[in-house]
Amino acid sequence: MRVEIWSDIACPWCYIGKARFEAGLAAFAQRADVEVVHRSFELDPAAPPATDVPILDMLATKYGVSREQAEAMEARVAEAAAGEGLGYRSDRIHGNTFDLHRLLHLAKAHGVQDALLTALYHANFAEARQLADPAVLTGIAVGAGVPEAEAARVLADPDAYADEVRADERAAAELGATGVPFFVIDRRYGVSGAQPADVFRQALERAHADSAVQVLAADDADSCGDGSCAV
């Protein structure tokens, strides 16, 4: 069974949704048979690579609300994050995430994609680190198991893994995903949003049950079994 997860490192509900999905997966009896693949999705592809815009100012501008209302919005998300045992700061900076997604594809090639995504989420939301800084990003990638020279090379080459990021985004559009997180099980079942862990467990169980062979007709004749055939 394969679960594909479209998400963006700038998305707080993706951060929370990852934790909830993992809790649901842990409660799934066949979890060892599940392959998880993270896919790229940019919430704000037009954002400049490096900015000094605080997230609260961005939210106030984007939604046409006061800074106090933006703070209240963030407080609700922070409470949800805390409920999953996640750190959450509202003094982070808003910026473009394309380079982060390119790094995640490099990490996938080294088998450490999930580890890097977890590290990026933590660096962004729990530590409010400046992810537009190549040195910061390289350090995070190395900590997750990506070779330093390769991380630096990819960050220095804007074309490296760009096609892979765009392919993920096209696939999301073809599947009808307009927001993230978006979870797709075997390209047959979709779960949208940071649902409770039990919803993810139930979705996995449903997909697993539906993947089993269903016998439409049975007869003792004209079959083989237990090392012999009826003739």
Side-chain angles (χ1 to χ4, degrees), residues 59-74:
L59 291 172
T61 300
K62 180 177 180 179
Y63 295 107
V65 298
S66 68
R67 186 178 176 85
E68 290 73 21
Q69 289 171 308
E71 290 173 350
M73 291 165 59
E74 276 285 277

Side-chain angles (χ1 to χ4, degrees), residues 128-211:
R129 298 182 70 183
Q130 179 50 274
L131 298 185
D133 185 337
V136 171
L137 274 183
T138 299
I140 295 170
V142 171
V146 178
E148 182 175 3
E150 292 193 41
R153 174 185 60 79
V154 167
L155 289 174
D157 178 4
D159 293 327
Y161 293 102
D163 289 344
E164 286 82 351
V165 174
R166 297 305 184 206
D168 280 355
E169 294 175 339
R170 285 194 301 272
E174 291 167 1
L175 290 168
T178 58
V180 285
F182 188 62
F183 304 78
V184 178
I185 306 173
D186 287 339
R187 291 288 171 111
R188 295 184 299 133
Y189 300 94
V191 178
S192 181
Q195 301 290 341
D198 202 48
V199 171
F200 289 116
R201 178 188 59 78
Q202 291 174 13
L204 291 167
E205 290 174 351
R206 168 70 184 277
H208 182 266
D210 287 354
S211 67

Side-chain angles (χ1 to χ4, degrees), residues 15-180:
Y15 174 50
I16 294 167
K18 184 176 188 294
R20 291 177 177 175
F21 168 77
E22 289 171 351
L25 178 61
F28 177 52
Q30 288 76 31
R31 58 188 175 276
D33 299 327
V34 178
E35 175 193 10
V36 178
V37 178
H38 297 285
R39 302 290 189 193
S40 302
F41 191 105
E42 295 172 273
L43 286 172
D44 189 4
T51 75
D52 57 359
V53 179
I55 194 68
L56 289 171
D57 291 349
M58 185 279 288
L59 291 172
T61 300
K62 180 177 180 179
Y63 295 107
V65 298
S66 68
R67 186 178 176 85
E68 290 73 21
Q69 289 171 308
E71 290 173 350
M73 291 165 59
E74 276 285 277
R76 286 192 292 272
V77 181
E79 183 178 4
E84 305 302 327
L86 301 172
Y88 194 87
R89 289 173 54 169
S90 296
D91 58 342
R92 61 193 188 278
I93 299 299
H94 173 66
N96 191 286
T97 57
F98 191 68
D99 285 348
L100 281 63
H101 287 295
R102 294 193 303 108
L103 267 185
L104 284 167
H105 277 279
L106 170 64
K108 181 182 177 182
H110 287 279
V112 293
Q113 186 187 45
D114 186 80
L116 179 56
L117 181 58
T118 298
L120 289 172
Y121 277 143
H122 184 79
N124 185 39
F125 291 105
E127 299 178 334
R129 298 182 70 183
Q130 179 50 274
L131 298 185
D133 185 337
V136 171
L137 274 183
T138 299
I140 295 170
V142 171
V146 178
E148 182 175 3
E150 292 193 41
R153 174 185 60 79
V154 167
L155 289 174
D157 178 4
D159 293 327
Y161 293 102
D163 289 344
E164 286 82 351
V165 174
R166 297 305 184 206
D168 280 355
E169 294 175 339
R170 285 194 301 272
E174 291 167 1
L175 290 168
T178 58
V180 285

